[in-house]
Amino acid sequence: MRKRVDFTLSDRWIKQADAVLMQTYARFPLVLTRGVGATVYDINGKAYLDFVGGIAVNSLGHCDTQHVAAIVQQAKALLHVSNLYYHIPQITLAQRLIAHFPGKVFFCNSGAEANEAAIKLARKFARDSQVIKRPDRFEIIAMQGAFHGRTLATLAAAGRRQHQKGFEPMPRGFTQVPFDDCGAIESAITPKTIAVFLEPIQGEGGVRVPSPGYLSAVRRLCDRHGLLMILDEVQTGMGRTGRLFAYQHEGIVPDIITLAKGLGGGVPIGAMLATSRVAESFTPGTHASTFGGNPLVCAAAVSVVERLAKPAFLSRVKKMGDYLQKRLMQLKTRYRLIREVRGVGLMVAVDLERPVASDLVKRGYETGLLLNKTSNDTLRLIPPLTIQRIEIDAMIDRLEEILQGQSDITLEAPPQAAP
Ligand SMILES: *Cc1c(COP(=O)(O)O)cnc(C)c1O
């Protein structure tokens, strides 16, 4: 009887949602009302340990005191002004980012928009820098299994047929080659190619980590052929992998990078950074965004960047990521359902022997644990970067209970206690 009252409360909101919201998401039946750290609460007061983190967005966890204070302070001073004027939060945020990627910044509101801006800048740069007019030079080589957003150009770049279906025609000028195969890129280069566009680690593609040396090889290839190297760091950036940007693991410098997700710690902001040489092609009137980098979101992002660019913060991300992977590897030795554990920093995937990720995610939220999947074979763990060791332990305990529930695949003699 007690349960029924709770159920009705969220159920009523869910019914209303379905009447007024477009059905673009297959949502879980949770109505979330507040959060603190790595825990969110639903309308019934039930707590959930959050290993989704808004899909790698809540980098400082929920309602971090300093982050909230920065937002409140800015909201009281100046919420928005047009990009016809200067304001200090935007300049400050650009300075903080440029300290780590020497170049210039264009601010926008999302990952897809940052990638659109990158595509436009690459095309404009190619047009500006050619001596002989070649209007057909605009092709960009992207990767199979990529995800760059849901606008038309980013759908065309990623090349996933199931995302494009029904929305044709796609913008021209993109081709896809297998990820983690530098030879495939080289074979695809034509006189029309202007850039190579990829994620340092494929996120939506299932946390695909390329072989060591791959990004450096792509960099050398781009240099040899005069191509721009564009990295989509929307998911891998902002400390997620234990470095501020994932490409830093390989000691290279791309020509363009895109950021969003974790950058604002929960406020909608995207950024496209380019080396100064390339950035020159964006002149007044060539590109714009009304909300792009407004005072509110920039103040929020400054407070995020100042925290997570600190070496101590980043090494903690690496440490917690290693710990998370170690604990998952321990589960793997005991549960046949776990095929592989992989990832870098706090971007971790668990491949399953059977396509039951949906069941695990469902069992997860029923028992107070938010999990994410990239396909029915792969769970993805992308918790707040501030995740604590005891929270990782708690998640592992719950995941183990869920795995035990999948009785047919449990090895005999499950362990008594975690080592
Ligand atoms: C999430 C994501 C995007 C799209 O970002 P939106 O803010 O949803 O437009 C683009 N690229 C990568 C790698 C992403 O993970």
Side-chain angles (χ1 to χ4, degrees):
M1 280 325 249
R2 180 175 54 83
K3 270 261 156 69
R4 219 186 67 202
V5 177
D6 295 354
F7 184 73
T8 311
L9 194 54
S10 54
D11 205 37
R12 218 187 295 148
W13 280 106
I14 290 165
K15 235 195 217 100
Q16 291 180 51
D18 292 347
V20 293
L21 297 174
M22 291 199 195
Q23 302 296 297
T24 44
Y25 308 101
R27 295 182 207 258
F28 301 113
L30 309 183
V31 181
L32 303 174
T33 52
R34 63 192 182 89
V36 55
T39 304
V40 289
Y41 298 86
D42 72 11
I43 194 165
N44 306 314
K46 178 174 165 181
Y48 301 83
L49 189 51
D50 185 4
F51 270 71
V52 180
I55 311 193
V57 166
N58 298 99
S59 37
L60 299 176
H62 298 275
C63 296
D64 172 85
T65 313
Q66 284 177 35
H67 190 230
V68 171
I71 292 168
V72 169
Q73 195 184 7
Q74 187 57 47
K76 286 179 174 171
L78 187 68
L79 208 51
H80 177 83
V81 287
S82 165
N83 277 312
L84 293 169
Y85 312 103
Y86 295 96
H87 62 83
I88 294 163
Q90 192 180 84
I91 301 163
T92 308
L93 179 58
Q95 286 170 335
R96 297 285 182 272
L97 293 170
I98 287 314
H100 304 276
F101 176 96
K104 296 206 167 145
V105 190
F106 173 82
F107 287 111
C108 51
N109 313 286
S110 68
E113 263 185 284
N115 288 329
E116 284 273 346
I119 292 163
K120 284 182 71 175
L121 180 61
R123 285 186 176 189
K124 185 70 166 45
F125 177 76
R127 215 55 64 84
D128 291 348
S129 51
Q130 63 201 2
V131 188
I132 307 156
K133 290 288 165 234
R134 281 282 309 264
D136 61 339
R137 264 196 94 232
F138 57 80
E139 279 185 7
I140 295 176
I141 299 173
M143 300 297 137
Q144 291 169 10
F147 181 77
H148 299 301
R150 297 292 200 132
T151 61
L152 286 168
T154 54
L155 285 180
R160 290 196 197 194
R161 294 297 303 151
Q162 81 271 25
H163 286 177
Q164 296 178 350
K165 210 164 155 250
F167 301 110
E168 299 90 348
M170 288 291 125
R172 294 187 300 137
F174 300 94
T175 179
Q176 293 82 29
V177 300
F179 185 58
D180 197 17
D181 180 350
C182 208
I185 299 175
E186 187 150 31
S187 313
I189 295 172
T190 74
K192 297 177 182 179
T193 309
I194 60 166
V196 178
F197 180 26
L198 69 164
E199 297 154 87
I201 297 168
Q202 289 192 333
E204 303 308 303
V207 189
R208 298 283 150 204
V209 185
S211 325
Y214 171 66
L215 290 181
S216 325
V218 174
R219 176 71 274 182
R220 285 195 300 275
L221 189 66
C222 287
D223 288 342
R224 220 160 46 238
H225 291 269
L227 309 177
L228 296 179
M229 181 175 185
I230 308 172
L231 286 184
D232 179 344
E233 291 252 13
V234 168
Q235 189 163 151
T236 54
M238 305 323 295
R240 177 60 48 186
T241 68
R243 301 294 297 264
L244 191 62
F245 306 126
Y247 72 78
Q248 293 173 326
H249 291 284
E250 291 243 358
I252 56 155
V253 183
D255 300 288
I256 299 177
I257 66 170
T258 56
L259 304 171
K261 291 205 164 91
L263 174 58
V267 300
I269 180 170
M272 188 268 292
L273 285 68
T275 58
S276 300
R277 175 181 78 106
V278 175
E280 266 176 35
S281 283
F282 265 3
T283 51
T286 48
H287 196 50
S289 167
T290 297
F291 289 118
N294 91 357
L296 183 77
V297 296
C298 284
V302 166
S303 89
V304 171
V305 178
E306 283 181 348
R307 289 268 286 289
L308 50 77
K310 288 204 172 90
F313 187 99
L314 292 169
S315 59
R316 201 190 152 279
V317 169
K318 185 185 180 305
K319 215 166 93 188
M320 287 301 123
D322 290 348
Y323 183 66
L324 173 61
Q325 283 206 48
K326 186 182 110 186
R327 294 300 320 266
L328 289 166
M329 288 302 288
Q330 288 168 351
L331 282 188
K332 177 178 180 293
T333 63
R334 303 202 288 266
Y335 296 93
R336 251 178 294 168
L337 183 57
I338 299 180
R339 193 213 318 252
E340 189 187 43
V341 176
R342 65 168 173 274
V344 183
L346 286 169
M347 184 171 176
V348 174
V350 177
D351 272 354
L352 305 172
E353 284 291 349
R354 295 190 297 125
V356 293
S358 296
D359 298 346
L360 302 185
V361 170
K362 182 165 184 287
R363 285 296 300 142
Y365 72 74
E366 285 170 356
T367 60
L369 171 64
L370 298 188
L371 294 169
N372 174 251
K373 65 180 175 75
T374 57
S375 72
N376 215 9
D377 302 302
T378 305
L379 290 176
R380 173 176 50 173
L381 301 157
I382 36 177
L385 302 181
T386 49
I387 196 82
Q388 305 289 313
R389 193 180 288 263
I390 53 163
E391 292 165 332
I392 293 174
D393 291 338
M395 184 280 290
I396 292 287
D397 288 348
R398 286 207 206 144
L399 185 57
E400 174 144 30
E401 278 167 32
I402 293 166
L403 291 169
Q404 276 168 3
Q406 302 267 327
S407 52
D408 57 315
I409 40 72
T410 306
L411 289 178
E412 65 287 352
Q416 302 313 308

